[in-house]
Amino acid sequence: MKKQRLVMRTVILLVLGAAVAYTLYANFTKDKIQKVAVGEKAPDFVLTDMEGNKHRLSDYEGQGVFLNFWGTWCKPCEKEMPYMNNQYKQFKDEGVQVLAVNVGETDLAVNKFSERYDLAFPIVIDKDSQVQSAYGINPLPATFLIDKDGKVVKYITGEMTEETIKNYMEQIKP
Amino acid sequence: MKEVKCDCGHVNPIGTILCESCGKVLEEKEKDKKLLDMRYEGSARRSQTYNKTLIDKIWNFFSSVKVGVWLIVITLIASAVGTILPQEMYIPPIMPAEEYYEDQYGWIGKLYYDLGFHNLYSSWWYLILIASIGISLVICSLDRVVPLYRALKKQKVSRHESYLQRQRVFGASQTEDTDKAFTMAKEKLKSKKYSIREENGNILAEKGRFSRWGPYVNHVGLIIFLIGGMLRFVPGMYVDKILWIREGETKVIPETNGEYYLKNDGFILEMYDKEKDKEVFGEAIDKAGMVAKNYQSNVTLYKKQGDTVAGEEADLKKVKDYEIKVNKPLKFENFALYQVDYKLNELNKMSFALTNKKTGDEYGDLTVDLNHPQDEYDLGNGYKAEVVSYFPDFEFDENGEPVTKSRIPNNPAFVFKMFTPDKPDGEISFVAIRQTIEPFGDNEYKMAFKGIDTKNVSALTVRKDLTLWIIALGGVIFMIGVAQGSYWNHRRVWLRRVNGEVWVAGHTNKNWHGLKREIEAALDGTGIKMPEDQLQNQSEKKG
């Protein structure tokens, strides 16, 4: 009788406690939920670069992809661009591709920016925010490291140094 | 600890005050009282008696109505405090919250922010308060409804003398023919819809017992309501997003997995017009100057056909045209799009004329689409303007360099290179709104500002709520419980033969006047004396 009561109370309290814990957990992670989780396959997309060539993410399978989201007004994005450019030149022959996705600015702004830094990697513009929405981008800069099987290895937000960029590219080298 | 065995032979759970079966007073300190405390039928609220393990201690804490009431009071005060200053989500995005509160409200604002009241309703401690109320509700109810149910189920017809004597309505009298009197009273009580139980010639007439479950039904409703609120945190159950969409723009509707697109065909803001609208509006228009009549977005809903990957141009099929007005949302599947905000006259295009500064002669106009500017504008006859740089939301940074704050053309600025037949190398001019800078000395030509073209922007709330029916169900059950507990009364009348006398006692959970009237009617003509209201007598004696 007494034992039964204790079991009963324990069960009820556990159920209530679990409900509360879940609610609190869900409430505090709702803003942080990463749409694209590490270890999962990166969502496919097709975007056109400044020369008019189409880039489809799944076409790069077999290579590592350094996927960077940026905007011209974003200072840390601007800072890391030359570093990415240098490392891209080192790693492109080792099978690491850089794709820089602009978050929907004008062709003019992107072209001028690209000319200023003499960027060698393809720059694509996500005009109607579809790709940003698929990857849940906020804030900038945001970088996804994608391995040769198309899986996300790491998600980085915030400015990177040339050294870290080099390490990251090393990581996804096929 | 052991169970309590009553003289009548019934074994009661520990902590019982009145025997579940015969009603005899078991608790010593209750024995001196003139009237019984009939709450929960004198049943054993177990929480009050077992207090051994940690689980029991937690259980007992939440089982206390006092604790429950305090939780509600604290939550009420906290909720009220949260309305003193605006919550973080409602402050204008002009500066970060930590500066805004102090800037606007002084030290009170700073304190408010530091204590976390700026984001009260989703703070962990507020959620824990609400959850504690929920837990208290469940445990309080369980702890009371089970013993009460037991006590009402187990009650005997022949209640103990001490129980009857201590009822509020009680009387003893002699009758000539008790059997006849009892038969008459029984019939009358039956006609009043009492259900009659008999045992050894004694009678228990009872009705409306289900009214006692009202508060518990009510609590079940509340708990369902809270579960509905909790489900909002489950992904996919609840969506509340804002979609800003310019006139002419087509955008994917968030949270629809890229399935639905919306095109804004135009935003309309209408004001009441003194001339055209009814006279009754006249006074209000005079007082306020402008009174909005209608906020409306004309939109077209599209559904994506087939599978496309993100970024690919989707094959869109038109679903419908709709005029979204306040309280007239566009509904599709489980979604609703509400008109919530707007921005009038966002810059869309700017026109310039390449002009000779001295003579004022113009050599052609050009119009820059601020969202899709071209690299250069050829004006013919050897005149052209090249856009060297474009800053949609221009400002000077800390180094005095022109930069853009965002991609939205709030404050566009250009660096133009103007080519003319007499200046084939071009002249550089920096052009912003009401500002022209010539970095390399005096130019002969300038880009004269001609005009602007604007567009409106609509803001729509994207709302999906799959929890609404659960919340409604909780509300309905809540109201059923309220009605059950307030419109019905649980009434009992005992008729017992004691040593040649007839004892009559009555109890109700509310409306004693009604009970007394029914007893009076039932005893009328039976020769049994109408019992007295002992509580009323007591107070009359005192007074």
Side-chain angles (χ1 to χ4, degrees):
Chain A
M1 182 69 186
K2 252 186 242 165
K3 204 160 192 187
Q4 202 186 335
R5 188 195 68 236
L6 185 67
V7 169
M8 197 69 183
R9 287 183 175 184
T10 312
V11 169
I12 293 172
L13 283 176
L14 278 179
V15 169
L16 292 172
V20 174
Y22 175 77
T23 309
L24 285 176
Y25 171 78
N27 183 48
F28 292 115
T29 50
K30 69 171 186 249
D31 300 328
K32 290 173 210 133
I33 287 174
Q34 204 50 53
K35 277 208 168 153
V36 179
V38 168
E40 273 178 31
K41 196 145 176 85
D44 201 10
F45 62 84
V46 178
L47 289 172
T48 310
D49 70 14
M50 308 314 289
E51 273 86 50
N53 305 315
K54 286 202 165 182
H55 294 266
R56 191 186 180 107
L57 182 65
S58 51
D59 291 345
Y60 289 105
E61 260 175 46
Q63 298 181 48
V65 177
F66 190 92
L67 180 64
N68 178 260
F69 289 85
W70 66 283
T72 59
W73 72 85
C74 148
K75 286 280 160 201
C77 303
E78 192 171 347
K79 263 195 180 161
E80 65 191 19
M81 275 294 171
Y83 306 149
M84 275 164 56
N85 205 27
N86 293 340
Q87 293 306 316
Y88 170 69
K89 286 172 186 159
Q90 307 287 323
F91 278 88
K92 71 175 171 189
D93 297 328
E94 299 184 49
V96 175
Q97 180 64 35
V98 172
L99 280 180
V101 181
N102 178 276
V103 293
E105 289 179 271
T106 60
D107 288 6
L108 180 81
V110 173
N111 272 328
K112 298 288 172 198
F113 186 91
S114 166
E115 277 166 28
R116 181 140 46 105
Y117 289 101
D118 196 18
L119 300 178
F121 46 75
I123 296 173
V124 293
I125 303 183
D126 184 23
K127 289 264 186 221
D128 47 8
S129 311
Q130 283 190 49
V131 179
Q132 291 161 70
S133 144
Y135 279 79
I137 298 301
N138 187 43
L140 292 179
T143 304
F144 288 87
L145 303 183
I146 298 166
D147 70 8
K148 61 182 190 320
D149 304 317
K151 290 215 172 76
V152 176
V153 179
K154 197 175 168 64
Y155 163 71
I156 308 115
T157 179
E159 197 181 321
M160 299 175 285
T161 62
E162 184 149 10
E163 190 60 34
T164 53
I165 291 175
K166 189 178 172 200
N167 288 335
Y168 290 147
M169 291 203 179
E170 203 70 55
Q171 263 185 52
I172 51 173
K173 206 168 71 178
Chain B
M1 282 201 267
K2 273 173 70 184
E3 278 102 0
V4 191
K5 190 168 177 182
C6 177
D7 298 343
C8 70
H10 182 75
V11 179
N12 291 290
I14 183 83
T16 305
I17 301 158
L18 304 175
C19 171
E20 290 174 329
S21 175
C22 73
K24 185 171 186 257
V25 183
L26 299 173
E27 190 97 340
E28 281 303 322
K29 59 178 182 202
E30 288 288 319
K31 282 188 178 157
D32 317 329
K33 290 192 182 159
K34 185 129 177 41
L35 290 179
L36 291 177
D37 181 0
M38 288 287 285
R39 274 200 312 166
Y40 311 113
E41 291 293 300
S43 58
R45 267 165 292 149
R46 294 164 194 195
S47 57
Q48 314 288 309
T49 47
Y50 295 105
N51 199 350
K52 278 199 164 160
T53 61
L54 180 68
I55 294 287
D56 286 334
K57 287 204 163 79
I58 298 172
W59 186 272
N60 293 352
F61 175 76
F62 284 111
S63 170
S64 158
V65 169
K66 210 192 237 169
V67 168
V69 169
W70 272 111
L71 286 172
I72 292 171
V73 169
I74 294 168
T75 310
L76 277 178
I77 294 172
S79 307
V81 171
T83 64
I84 295 175
L85 300 182
Q87 291 286 295
E88 190 182 16
M89 62 181 132
Y90 298 118
I91 65 170
I94 47 172
M95 54 174 101
E98 50 198 298
E99 292 166 32
Y100 180 84
Y101 282 95
E102 192 170 4
D103 182 76
Q104 294 286 310
Y105 308 106
W107 65 270
I108 295 175
K110 186 171 160 43
L111 190 71
Y112 200 79
Y113 178 83
D114 288 342
L115 293 177
F117 281 108
H118 66 292
N119 220 340
L120 174 77
Y121 303 108
S122 51
S123 68
W124 61 270
W125 62 271
Y126 189 80
L127 288 178
I128 284 179
L129 271 177
I130 298 280
S132 301
I133 292 176
I135 294 171
S136 155
L137 218 55
V138 171
I139 292 178
C140 276
S141 301
L142 274 178
D143 238 24
R144 284 165 179 76
V145 74
V146 174
L148 178 64
Y149 177 81
R150 254 182 75 115
L152 287 175
K153 182 115 182 146
K154 294 237 158 89
Q155 62 177 332
K156 253 191 351 186
V157 174
S158 318
R159 296 295 251 183
H160 195 263
E161 287 91 339
S162 66
Y163 179 86
L164 295 178
Q165 275 172 335
R166 288 191 179 92
Q167 291 301 316
R168 183 172 155 183
V169 173
F170 172 73
S173 59
Q174 304 269 346
T175 48
E176 280 157 23
D177 188 345
T178 309
D179 286 342
K180 206 178 138 200
F182 269 37
T183 318
M184 259 180 85
K186 211 166 73 184
E187 287 312 313
K188 284 190 178 164
L189 285 167
K190 246 185 209 162
S191 72
K192 294 268 181 202
K193 295 195 173 122
Y194 278 86
S195 65
I196 311 285
R197 277 166 64 199
E198 281 182 273
E199 188 188 275
N200 305 329
N202 301 321
I203 293 172
L204 164 57
E206 183 176 11
K207 76 172 178 187
R209 192 196 283 183
F210 92 111
S211 124
R212 295 293 284 271
W213 315 131
Y216 308 105
V217 172
N218 173 284
H219 285 179
V220 169
L222 264 180
I223 290 157
I224 293 175
F225 194 97
L226 283 177
I227 290 173
M230 198 182 88
L231 283 179
R232 289 197 164 182
F233 294 113
V234 176
M237 294 295 280
Y238 181 74
V239 170
D240 185 15
K241 293 257 149 132
I242 284 202
L243 173 64
W244 282 94
I245 183 164
R246 289 190 186 90
E247 285 174 326
E249 211 175 26
T250 304
K251 268 191 166 175
V252 60
I253 301 174
E255 304 290 329
T256 57
N257 286 327
E259 282 293 302
Y260 284 95
Y261 286 72
L262 196 75
K263 181 168 180 235
N264 186 354
D265 300 316
F267 173 79
I268 299 166
L269 171 61
E270 285 175 292
M271 295 292 173
Y272 278 102
D273 188 319
K274 231 183 156 182
E275 312 291 306
K276 287 184 208 146
D277 288 302
K278 285 187 198 143
E279 221 175 300
V280 289
F281 300 117
E283 203 183 324
I285 296 170
D286 284 341
K287 220 170 164 185
M290 298 272 263
V291 180
K293 185 179 184 182
N294 184 25
Y295 302 96
Q296 177 179 333
S297 297
N298 294 339
V299 296
T300 312
L301 179 70
Y302 295 95
K303 190 169 197 258
K304 191 176 83 176
Q305 301 294 301
D307 266 342
T308 47
V309 282
E312 221 172 16
E313 199 161 325
D315 179 14
L316 298 180
K317 199 181 146 220
K318 182 168 155 182
V319 180
K320 62 175 158 185
D321 287 317
Y322 195 80
E323 295 172 351
I324 298 178
K325 295 177 182 170
V326 174
N327 291 335
K328 219 186 117 211
L330 164 62
K331 291 192 173 171
F332 61 96
E333 287 192 5
N334 290 314
F335 287 89
L337 301 182
Y338 291 87
Q339 178 69 47
V340 65
D341 202 355
Y342 65 94
K343 186 175 158 197
L344 291 179
N345 306 328
E346 185 183 278
L347 289 173
N348 179 45
K349 286 177 183 159
M350 275 176 106
S351 308
F352 302 94
L354 181 55
T355 312
N356 186 305
K357 275 163 65 177
K358 263 186 219 140
T359 64
D361 290 342
E362 291 181 5
Y363 300 94
D365 287 357
L366 61 93
T367 301
V368 183
D369 181 337
L370 297 171
N371 292 306
H372 307 280
Q374 295 171 30
D375 284 354
E376 58 175 48
Y377 295 85
D378 198 341
L379 302 170
N381 303 325
Y383 293 92
K384 73 174 184 183
E386 187 193 319
V387 181
V388 181
S389 290
Y390 168 45
F391 309 97
D393 196 357
F394 149 78
E395 65 171 3
F396 284 113
D397 70 1
E398 61 268 29
N399 307 323
E401 296 275 327
V403 290
T404 185
K405 276 187 284 188
S406 70
R407 57 180 143 156
I408 297 156
N410 288 325
N411 182 23
F414 301 88
V415 176
F416 283 114
K417 199 168 190 185
M418 301 168 288
F419 295 93
T420 49
D422 49 325
K423 295 275 180 191
D425 295 335
E427 290 180 323
I428 296 273
S429 176
F430 177 87
V431 182
I433 292 173
R434 269 184 257 157
Q435 185 175 6
T436 304
I437 298 168
E438 293 169 355
F440 305 111
D442 271 356
N443 291 347
E444 256 175 65
Y445 293 87
K446 67 171 180 180
M447 299 300 291
F449 175 75
K450 294 294 271 188
I452 51 166
D453 180 33
T454 60
K455 268 185 180 178
N456 299 331
V457 195
S458 297
L460 306 170
T461 293
V462 181
R463 172 75 50 77
K464 171 175 140 183
D465 193 349
L466 299 183
T467 67
L468 221 49
W469 67 272
I470 301 174
I471 290 173
L473 178 74
V476 168
I477 294 176
F478 179 98
M479 285 314 295
I480 290 174
V482 170
Q484 196 177 334
S486 16
Y487 293 109
W488 282 271
N489 310 321
H490 179 216
R491 292 175 180 171
R492 275 173 293 173
V493 179
W494 293 274
L495 293 170
R496 191 173 171 184
R497 301 164 204 245
V498 182
N499 304 327
E501 276 186 329
V502 175
W503 285 18
V504 182
H507 182 260
T508 180
N509 58 340
K510 60 172 78 73
N511 189 3
W512 289 85
H513 181 69
L515 173 72
K516 283 186 276 181
R517 266 186 32 197
E518 277 186 348
I519 295 176
E520 199 161 17
L523 298 182
D524 186 36
T526 59
I528 305 172
K529 223 173 74 191
M530 175 62 197
E532 284 172 9
D533 186 334
Q534 305 197 69
L535 191 71
Q536 211 168 317
N537 292 351
Q538 249 175 19
S539 59
E540 270 165 20
K541 264 178 223 162
K542 271 184 210 157

